[in-house]
Amino acid sequence: MKRIFTFIVSALCALTVSAQGWPENYGGVMLQGFYWDSFKETKWKTLEKQAPELGHYFSLVWVPQSGYCGGGNSMGYDPLYYFNQQSSFGSETDLRAMIRAFKDNGIGTIADVVVNHRKNKSNWVDFPAETYGEETYEMLSTDICKNDDGGETLTWANKNGYKLSENNDTGEGWSGMRDLDHKSENVQRCVKAYLKYLIEDLGYSGFRYDMVKGFSASFVGNYNAYVNVPFSVGEHFGNADEARTWIDGTKVNGVRQSAAFDFQMHYRLSDAITKSDWTKLGTYQLVNSGSEYNRYAITFVENHDTQYRSSSEPGSCPINNYIEASNAYILALPGTPCIFLKHWLKYKTEIKKMIEVRKLVGITNTSKHTTLKSSMKYMATETTGAGGKKLLSVVGSSPTSYTAPDQYKKIIEGYGYIYYVSEDVDTSGWQAILDRIASEDVPEPEEPFEDRDVTIYVDANLPAGWTAGFANFWVWSDTNSSNLCTNKNWPGDKITAVKEVDGKNWIYSTYRVTKANHPINIVLSTGTGSPQTVDFTGIENTMFLEVLADKVNGKNMIKDVTAQHPTGISDIIINQTSNKNIIYTLGGQKVDENNLQPGIYIINGKKFINAGGKSLLR
């Protein structure tokens, strides 16, 4: 009941301060729920299963850009479609289920918004037309900045009969994809509709804007004010002065509309550890640049970009030697800490304790803090939380060298850090918290996997250029990349079997899945293999697919339409022995057979419909 009440209060507070960049006196902690190439660990279904545990510690989870990028594995930073939400992390159905599960557990989902640039379908300047809410949204060549790619795009456009915008970029350029002209009314119309869709339809709670140095901060402000979004943070690489200037640049009617990541926090931690000098902390960071900006400082130790770059440059990122201490530092300060998924997975028990201490003291993004003592070996910082309670954090190579004042008592310690709390902090329930953490960190035994059949249905109404009556299925599994086709040579098996479902004809074939967490993947084609579709990956259960006329790089797109055809999955099970059946939602959450809502469920690896809200097992 306490968590539900806290969530309701937090939600009301968020509504009160919406469209003001970031809530004031906000005590939540955010998780970056991905890292570079985390395609398996960050599947929407995988994250959904973790919602109950994450809800104890995080108020927000930032997930990858969820729009369709044209097939294959993509982290989402090459956006192509806005309203098609089939991504490398799952289907739109999976995404919605995850967002709902997060909300049910007191977590808001932060969308990664990539609108500085956009990918093209087949040439340098063509964008897809998308229909949503009876409106069509399509960016044109004239929505591309005149000086895109240093003038190379303009040269190509002039040679091929296209026109670009008359406006130059309002920020830094980025080669590889088209930089959008945010002065264009059409760009603004498309982006505003997309952002409203993320919040009002999909259910996201806020935005993380990618590469905000690429366009004017004023556009972020206008977009946020239009959508009235309570949580917004910009990826602004730069020093504290530049970050403050950017935050102020988002003002609409004098009100700041976005927070910013505190990149200087990351850099100062790197300096302190590299130079074995912990006095490097406490200066230059956004969170230390004035109390009014603490509210808008999203602190972090590491993210997907710094992790990716450091891993490709061995020895360039020393934070790995003091991950626990670095997270202890940001979790004891004002601002809103954002924990990196890799750190969470490796040091989960330690980070859980740190977050619980932060909550126990009542630290928020606007709490006051001061440096008590700084030396080459450690940094001692005091932060005042709710009701004057205090947290004293000591981080460094030798935190035990510092002697805490008598009015403090030690509560936790680990490699490179010690937390003390003031005597007025009630720690009577602390052991119960530790016991709960210990019980959470005992891994649950995996459910035994039962082999199951997965049927792939393809709409027989194929696009122009495809031969009617059949399709080639090139199917493989993530299990040792094994080919599941009878014909081991491209383009795979010619499938002619057709079945009528919901009044439509479907070309179909069934495959046996024999190992958990190893979905199957498919490429569809016709004739000798051309035309063909993009790769469609991650199939774990029976699916209904539609081949679209729209192409990306010459390959037809595939749309998942499973949710539109539930009657083709199976009938309700009758007369089964209930104690042998395990029931899951489509998102992978185990449910009680006697407390089911209408919907689709998985029983013993197969999908079934429950239309009446009663037990499927009768």
Side-chain angles (χ1 to χ4, degrees):
M1 180 62 73
K2 183 178 179 181
R3 277 188 61 236
I4 295 174
F5 176 75
T6 302
F7 172 59
I8 292 173
V9 171
S10 300
L12 290 174
C13 290
L15 289 173
T16 303
V17 297
S18 61
Q20 293 186 27
W22 204 268
E24 190 175 13
N25 298 319
Y26 185 69
V29 178
M30 182 161 68
L31 174 70
Q32 179 179 357
F34 64 99
Y35 51 87
W36 208 262
D37 293 337
S38 61
F39 298 112
K40 180 178 178 181
E41 293 79 0
T42 310
K43 289 287 186 185
W44 305 142
K45 290 182 179 180
T46 302
L47 291 175
E48 181 191 353
K49 293 176 185 177
Q50 300 170 42
E53 180 186 20
L54 295 177
H56 281 298
Y57 306 98
F58 298 103
S59 299
L60 300 168
V61 175
W62 158 31
V63 299
Q65 196 279 118
S66 55
Y68 184 62
C69 295
N73 281 337
S74 170
M75 289 303 297
Y77 294 108
D78 54 342
L80 180 60
Y81 285 80
Y82 288 164
F83 301 98
N84 180 338
Q85 294 289 304
Q86 175 70 41
S87 72
S88 296
F89 305 96
S91 67
E92 179 180 321
T93 300
D94 298 337
L95 175 65
R96 289 180 182 274
M98 179 197 70
I99 293 174
R100 284 195 303 270
F102 279 177
K103 284 186 177 180
D104 290 344
N105 286 277
I107 303 169
T109 308
I110 299 297
D112 207 324
V113 173
V114 186
V115 292
N116 168 70
H117 53 268
R118 194 172 183 184
K119 187 177 180 179
N120 303 105
K121 289 199 305 177
S122 59
N123 64 32
W124 277 50
V125 298
D126 63 338
F127 299 102
E130 299 185 82
T131 300
Y132 173 71
E134 299 183 355
E135 294 283 338
T136 299
Y137 300 93
E138 182 178 12
M139 291 184 184
L140 309 173
S141 64
T142 50
D143 294 322
I144 299 170
C145 296
K146 183 178 182 179
N147 60 342
D148 179 59
D149 275 17
E152 289 186 41
T153 307
L154 181 61
T155 300
W156 185 93
N158 289 337
K159 185 183 296 185
N160 290 276
Y162 291 93
K163 289 187 177 181
L164 302 188
S165 170
E166 292 299 317
N167 300 317
N168 284 331
D169 205 336
T170 57
E172 297 179 3
W174 186 74
S175 61
M177 270 167 266
R178 306 291 70 81
D179 283 352
L180 301 178
D181 173 24
H182 287 271
K183 290 183 179 179
S184 161
E185 290 185 4
N186 187 47
V187 168
Q188 292 183 23
R189 173 177 175 268
C190 293
V191 171
K192 286 179 177 179
Y194 167 52
L195 297 181
K196 257 191 176 300
Y197 164 70
L198 292 177
I199 297 294
E200 297 181 1
D201 192 334
L202 292 180
Y204 279 105
S205 297
F207 306 139
R208 176 267 185 187
Y209 283 95
D210 178 67
M211 199 179 172
V212 295
K213 294 182 77 172
F215 57 107
S216 172
S218 63
F219 295 114
V220 171
N222 289 333
Y223 294 146
N224 285 347
Y226 175 79
V227 181
N228 199 35
V229 62
F231 297 98
S232 170
V233 55
E235 181 207 31
H236 190 281
F237 286 90
N239 61 42
D241 288 339
E242 292 170 334
R244 287 197 302 269
T245 298
W246 183 84
I247 291 169
D248 288 341
T250 68
K251 286 182 179 179
V252 173
N253 297 325
V255 178
R256 298 181 180 99
Q257 300 293 317
S258 185
F261 281 109
D262 193 347
F263 275 89
Q264 288 303 306
M265 180 71 76
H266 165 77
Y267 299 139
R268 295 291 73 77
L269 283 164
S270 296
D271 285 348
I273 297 167
T274 302
K275 299 172 182 177
S276 298
D277 181 2
W278 292 83
T279 65
K280 297 295 182 181
L281 297 180
T283 57
Y284 308 115
Q285 298 108 309
L286 177 59
V287 81
N288 288 299
S289 62
S291 58
E292 66 176 313
Y293 290 98
N294 288 346
R295 169 179 174 179
Y296 302 101
I298 311 303
T299 59
F300 70 99
V301 172
E302 201 170 27
N303 67 24
H304 63 294
D305 280 326
T306 63
Q307 166 250 334
Y308 178 68
R309 291 167 184 167
S310 63
S311 65
S312 62
E313 301 170 13
S316 65
C317 185
I319 286 176
N320 289 336
N321 297 324
Y322 283 95
I323 290 176
E324 294 166 273
S326 297
N327 280 283
Y329 182 62
I330 68 169
L331 282 165
L333 292 180
T336 299
C338 182
I339 307 301
F340 188 41
L341 181 61
K342 271 185 172 280
H343 296 176
W344 169 251
L345 294 176
K346 188 172 183 179
Y347 299 100
K348 186 180 290 188
T349 299
E350 291 80 3
I351 292 174
K352 285 180 177 181
K353 293 176 184 177
M354 297 172 195
I355 293 174
E356 289 293 357
V357 174
R358 180 183 179 88
K359 292 193 295 185
L360 194 65
V361 178
I363 295 173
T364 72
N365 57 349
T366 52
S367 292
K368 305 296 182 184
H369 74 292
T370 184
T371 300
L372 294 185
K373 193 169 182 180
S374 178
S375 75
M376 297 284 286
K377 293 184 176 182
Y378 62 82
M379 167 73 74
T381 306
E382 179 185 77
T383 305
T384 303
K389 293 178 290 188
K390 297 180 186 297
L391 168 60
L392 169 57
S393 66
V394 188
V395 299
S397 58
S398 182
T400 56
S401 299
Y402 175 77
T403 302
D406 292 339
Q407 65 268 30
Y408 280 95
K409 51 189 177 183
K410 184 189 298 185
I411 188 165
I412 57 171
E413 65 180 317
Y415 184 77
Y417 76 94
I418 303 175
Y419 272 5
Y420 302 89
V421 294
S422 54
E423 290 290 350
D424 57 344
V425 175
D426 180 8
T427 57
S428 61
W430 183 245
Q431 187 57 51
I433 292 174
L434 295 179
D435 291 343
R436 188 196 73 216
I437 291 174
S439 67
E440 290 174 343
D441 292 342
V442 175
E444 292 186 11
E446 292 188 9
E447 297 286 353
F449 181 81
E450 295 186 23
D451 292 1
R452 63 177 181 269
D453 289 332
V454 170
T455 302
I456 300 175
Y457 292 91
V458 177
D459 191 336
N461 185 22
L462 296 166
W466 287 60
T467 305
F470 79 93
N472 292 318
F473 284 29
W474 177 257
V475 182
W476 71 99
S477 170
D478 286 353
T479 308
N480 301 319
S481 300
S482 57
N483 191 326
L484 301 182
C485 299
T486 301
N487 177 12
K488 301 299 182 182
N489 298 315
W490 172 260
D493 297 329
K494 179 178 180 180
I495 306 299
T496 58
V498 175
K499 181 179 181 179
E500 183 178 328
V501 179
D502 295 331
K504 298 182 68 173
N505 288 329
W506 301 85
I507 303 166
Y508 72 99
S509 184
T510 300
Y511 302 89
R512 192 72 170 169
V513 177
T514 60
K515 191 172 181 179
N517 300 318
H518 286 271
I520 60 177
N521 316 289
I522 190 168
V523 174
L524 300 164
S525 65
T526 189
T528 59
S530 181
Q532 71 171 77
T533 66
V534 298
D535 295 6
F536 191 92
T537 61
I539 302 173
E540 297 180 293
N541 296 288
T542 292
M543 295 194 78
F544 288 76
L545 306 176
E546 178 184 350
V547 179
L548 303 180
D550 212 356
K551 296 182 179 181
V552 176
N553 297 324
K555 298 179 180 180
N556 293 81
M557 288 177 23
I558 297 177
K559 183 178 181 181
D560 175 10
V561 293
T562 307
Q564 301 172 23
H565 300 282
T567 58
I569 297 171
S570 181
D571 295 324
I572 296 175
I573 294 181
I574 299 178
N575 296 326
Q576 294 245 356
T577 305
S578 61
N579 62 8
K580 293 184 179 181
N581 291 279
I582 303 173
I583 306 177
Y584 294 93
T585 66
L586 286 180
Q589 290 182 312
K590 190 186 294 186
V591 292
D592 183 350
E593 65 174 85
N594 296 310
N595 189 28
L596 296 178
Q597 300 300 313
I600 304 172
Y601 294 88
I602 300 171
I603 304 177
N604 297 336
K606 297 182 179 181
K607 287 185 180 178
F608 298 93
I609 294 176
N610 179 35
K614 298 180 180 178
S615 173
L616 296 177
L617 310 169
R618 294 178 285 171

